[in-house]
């Protein structure tokens, strides 16, 4: 198991991450919903909805590879959104981890998410996903395949393609109809789809 397994085009890498487990200390979350994002117009996967869609900046530098590193950013100034870099070194792409099921460290996750109504809500939605794992901006750039690291990714084999659903990404105003959101319909932890009111196509 290595980051080489994520050196794929964005949709393929996104599918590969479904069913994987992200660990942060004692808490483990099984990934059940993701969104793929490409990069700038000069690359092989131009994506105006991506943070790297206009080129490299200090904020998005880790998205330019290699695969298998953590990209964390704040959404609306408060939600810590967790992404895994994918693709090839020097070419921007990443996968947003939208929702998951807490499979270990439930008590710790509950302490971090005291307003969650049920355990299925603990890591449902990208902001909640990061909160349940206790991930912060200081974790930006972490190597997810370093065995001794506190934050690590465990790939659990390729999911059955027939078990995966796909559709448009949530909340983006550009490239809103690109079907790069993938999820496991069998999981009740998948979040609801919400199209941005600013979306054009």
């Amino acid at each position: 198991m290595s980051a080489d397994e994520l050196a794929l085009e964005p949709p393929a890498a996104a599918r590969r991450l479904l069913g994987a487990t992200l660990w942060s200390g004692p808490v483990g979350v099984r990934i059940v919903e993701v969104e793929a994002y490409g990069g700038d117009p000069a690359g092989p996967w131009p994506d105006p909805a991506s943070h790297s869609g206009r080129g490299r900046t200090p904020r998005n530098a880790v998205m330019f590879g290699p695969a298998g590193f953590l990209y964390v950013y704040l959404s609306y100034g408060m939600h810590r959104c967790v992404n895994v870099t994918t693709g090839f070194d020097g070419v921007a792409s990443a996968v947003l981890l939208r929702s998951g099921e807490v499979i270990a460290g439930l008590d710790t996750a509950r302490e971090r998410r005291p307003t969650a109504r049920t355990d299925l809500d603990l890591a449902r939605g990208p902001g909640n996903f990061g909160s349940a794992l206790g991930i912060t901006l200081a974790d930006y750039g972490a190597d997810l395949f370093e065995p001794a690291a506190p934050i690590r990714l465990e790939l659990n084999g390729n999911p059955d393609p027939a078990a995966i659903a796909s559709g448009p990404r949530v909340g983006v105003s550009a490239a809103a109809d690109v079907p790069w959101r993938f999820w496991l319909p069998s999981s009740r932890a998948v979040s609801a789809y919400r199209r941005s009111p600013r979306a054009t196509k």
Side-chain angles (χ1 to χ4, degrees), residues 91-173:
V91 178
S93 70
V95 174
L96 171 66
L97 308 183
R98 282 201 55 85
S99 288
E101 301 167 348
V102 178
I103 60 171
L106 264 173
D107 289 344
T108 301
R110 288 169 183 150
E111 289 174 4
R112 291 170 175 162
R113 291 271 296 116
T115 60
R117 292 174 298 175
T118 71
D119 288 348
L120 287 171
D121 294 317
L122 288 171
R124 178 188 281 135
N128 296 333
F129 190 103
S131 294
L133 284 161
I135 290 175
T136 72
L137 293 180
D139 297 313
Y140 177 102
D143 183 348
L144 297 176
F145 288 89
E146 172 57 50
I151 303 175
R152 61 200 184 281
L153 182 64
E154 184 179 284
L155 299 175
N156 297 326
N158 289 301
D160 179 0
I164 298 174
S166 65
R169 294 175 292 192
V170 175
V172 295
S173 56

Side-chain angles (χ1 to χ4, degrees), residues 2-17:
S2 73
D4 291 342
E5 296 182 55
L6 297 176
L8 306 165
E9 62 179 358
R15 292 186 186 95
R16 182 70 182 83
L17 284 165

